[in-house]
Amino acid sequence: GVLLTAAQLTAMTPLVQPSARPQWIAALPVTSMGGINVLVRAIAADREPISLPSIGGGGPFTADAFAEAVAAGARVTDDVRTSLVPAQLARLLGDDRGIEALQQCTSVLVGGAATRPSLLAAAQSMGIAVTTTYGATETAGGCILDGRPLPGVSVTADAVTGVLTIAGPCVALGYRGEP
């Protein structure tokens, strides 16, 4: 029960989405913070996201479904974006149609888990505009892109305890039912 306001959910959108009207491909479940962020960004762009059947449980995540979604987005605009987890990126990089679709995206955000350096390097060597993200539900998703905090976000690490402290406009109010 993380408590997030509309302001916290939208705080990072202009920084992640400087283009006014990108078309977002929804490849993550909307029950996840990454999926919610895709919805928020699509609303900000005044476009309905193009959802893959896999997010509703209608089928597995496939390169063919992803490629079809990207092609549909490309018919609307030349600014097509998506958000993936590393396992999805790896699956797409193992398929020619997946690679071609990723190359058509102007931005591929990857988060939800650490991205292996070799996977990131492979994507970049193929000309894919991949950006690693770090965040949590408590920070309304990705507030650190490619290892750098977004403007307005501060990150400190205690060298002794290893505790990471994140502050900024995207940080949750707290937890439902907690003081």
Side-chain angles (χ1 to χ4, degrees):
V2 176
L3 302 174
L4 291 166
T5 66
Q8 290 158 333
L9 288 171
T10 59
M12 300 294 110
T13 297
L15 303 171
V16 174
Q17 177 173 294
S19 167
R21 301 218 46 231
Q23 176 63 63
W24 282 90
I25 306 302
L28 298 171
V30 295
T31 55
S32 70
M33 196 69 245
I36 289 170
N37 276 329
V38 167
L39 295 180
V40 168
R41 293 170 187 150
I43 290 167
D46 196 27
R47 294 192 194 275
E48 187 171 326
I50 298 172
S51 299
L52 299 182
S54 57
I55 69 166
F61 177 81
T62 66
D64 286 339
F66 182 77
E68 288 169 18
V70 170
R75 288 192 289 274
V76 175
T77 180
D78 61 356
D79 188 359
V80 178
R81 298 168 181 236
T82 194
S83 191
L84 305 170
V85 296
Q88 290 172 309
L89 178 62
R91 182 172 291 178
L92 293 171
L93 291 180
D95 184 284
D96 289 341
R97 195 159 181 219
I99 293 168
E100 184 179 311
L102 286 167
Q103 291 169 331
Q104 291 176 14
C105 293
T106 54
S107 179
V108 178
L109 302 176
V110 181
T115 304
R116 290 187 329 274
S118 60
L119 180 63
L120 185 59
Q124 291 169 334
S125 74
M126 294 178 201
I128 296 163
V130 64
T131 299
T132 59
T133 68
Y134 175 83
T137 301
E138 291 82 355
T139 62
C143 59
I144 300 170
L145 302 183
D146 285 336
R148 291 183 286 294
L150 289 170
V153 175
S154 68
V155 179
T156 57
D158 184 302
V160 176
T161 64
V163 171
L164 186 67
T165 302
I166 300 175
C170 58
V171 176
L173 298 174
Y175 299 98
R176 183 180 61 240
E178 296 290 326

